[in-house]
Amino acid sequence: MTDPWGLGTRTPGATLLVGCGKLGVRLGERLIAQGAEVTAMRRQAGAVPFPTIEADLRHPLAQALPAFDSVVITLPPSTEGESIYPPALRGLARALPALPDRVVFVSSTRVFEGRPGGTPLTERDAPKVSTERGGDLVEGELLATELFGARIVRPAGIYGPGRDYLIRRVLEQAPVDHTRRTNRIHETDLVRLLEAMLRADSAPPLIHAVDREPVLLGEVAAHIAARLGVAPPPHADPEEGGGTVLDGHLLQEFLGALDYPTFREGYDEMIAAR
């Protein structure tokens, strides 16, 4: 079987993880386990298990950076009410001595917040936003592409160990909008995708990180409640519905079978571990 992406044919080399929160740390640990050289860039070093450059990218860097073969950017869209992407991405571009061979920018499927509906949206559909945060994300995607030729990854709602917000809502019996359309991706599959984006010779320029089953929030909440042995959470009043349906076929073609193809496998494992 031919591999149009050239998966596994590229070596990430010296890799800089910009932002490097929980997602970046997991990716860094995975790369290091396979012999890669990883450096984080964060506002504060914290307990990151690899070398860290402390820098606030809202301000010019005090010194030039060394060269990196690969860069993964996982910055939040805004901080203290201002978009972080224009100063951060331009400052990063000025500080790097050369353009890295591969740059991956992690955005969000929130760029479709202004396009609710049941029609599946693919990577070919144009973003449409309805909030300032959504606009910041679109701006970040455009800047990262312009400055670095970045590949864009758009995760849906990320869940997994330590990301148990919905489980806690069900246990608290907090009202939930049962009619809202939702998409999600388990953190493990997202980390796998980011690594594949670094290792593929011809990684897609844009990819949605979503599992195989878009589903109403009420169905997810009811499943979690049944596994926990509690009543389903009450309905929000009013229920506004909304939300999108995102097509994950490109992810499946690129990455292959997901470890957590639907919400059931992921939440069942999380609940069993409680």
Side-chain angles (χ1 to χ4, degrees):
M1 183 176 178
T2 60
D3 173 14
W5 313 104
L7 283 169
T9 60
R10 182 181 180 275
T11 300
T15 302
L16 178 66
L17 305 179
V18 180
C20 200
K22 187 171 183 286
L23 181 64
V25 169
R26 283 200 62 186
L27 173 61
E29 289 174 334
R30 186 177 177 105
L31 292 172
I32 287 172
Q34 298 175 26
E37 176 188 335
V38 174
T39 302
M41 175 178 280
R42 296 162 48 112
R43 290 173 64 182
Q44 296 179 327
V48 179
F50 33 84
T52 302
I53 298 169
E54 287 197 39
D56 185 341
L57 283 173
R58 294 174 298 176
H59 310 291
L61 274 70
Q63 58 188 29
L65 295 172
F68 290 95
D69 303 294
S70 303
V71 174
V72 180
I73 302 168
T74 57
L75 292 168
S78 57
T79 178
E80 299 176 4
E82 295 185 4
S83 174
I84 195 173
Y85 293 137
L89 297 180
R90 291 191 177 110
L92 182 64
R94 285 193 296 268
L96 288 166
L99 185 67
D101 292 335
R102 178 65 49 85
V103 176
V104 177
F105 178 82
V106 180
S107 179
S108 167
T109 55
R110 189 167 182 169
V111 298
F112 292 115
E113 64 190 1
R115 299 189 62 170
T119 301
L121 300 172
T122 75
E123 288 80 359
R124 294 184 297 275
D125 289 295
K128 183 178 179 181
V129 300
S130 57
T131 66
E132 186 174 352
R133 190 176 180 87
D136 291 342
L137 286 162
V138 172
E139 180 182 40
E141 291 185 2
L142 293 172
L143 264 177
T145 303
E146 174 189 331
L147 294 170
F148 302 105
R151 265 79 166 178
I152 308 299
V153 174
R154 293 175 180 159
I158 306 170
Y159 77 109
R163 300 180 186 267
D164 57 353
Y165 172 77
L166 189 54
I167 293 175
R168 288 184 279 111
R169 294 279 293 180
V170 171
L171 287 170
E172 294 163 3
Q173 288 292 287
V176 166
D177 188 340
H178 288 241
T179 64
R180 184 168 184 80
R181 303 176 198 90
T182 63
N183 304 266
R184 59 194 45 77
I185 187 73
H186 195 283
E187 185 181 75
T188 296
D189 285 317
L190 180 53
V191 170
R192 288 180 56 217
L193 171 61
L194 293 177
E195 183 189 6
M197 293 292 284
L198 295 178
R199 294 192 179 278
D201 184 54
S202 301
L206 168 64
I207 192 165
H208 294 164
V210 294
D211 70 18
R212 283 180 8 203
E213 189 170 343
V215 66
L216 294 179
L217 184 57
E219 185 174 339
V220 184
H223 178 85
I224 291 171
R227 291 293 185 269
L228 291 169
V230 301
H235 290 245
D237 184 19
E239 289 194 308
E240 300 178 353
T244 55
V245 173
L246 295 167
D247 186 295
H249 278 90
L250 179 59
L251 174 67
Q252 294 167 48
E253 290 174 12
F254 177 62
L255 195 62
L258 299 181
D259 289 348
Y260 301 88
T262 77
F263 69 91
R264 298 175 188 84
E265 292 85 3
Y267 278 115
D268 286 358
E269 182 179 271
M270 292 167 65
I271 291 167
R274 287 178 69 85

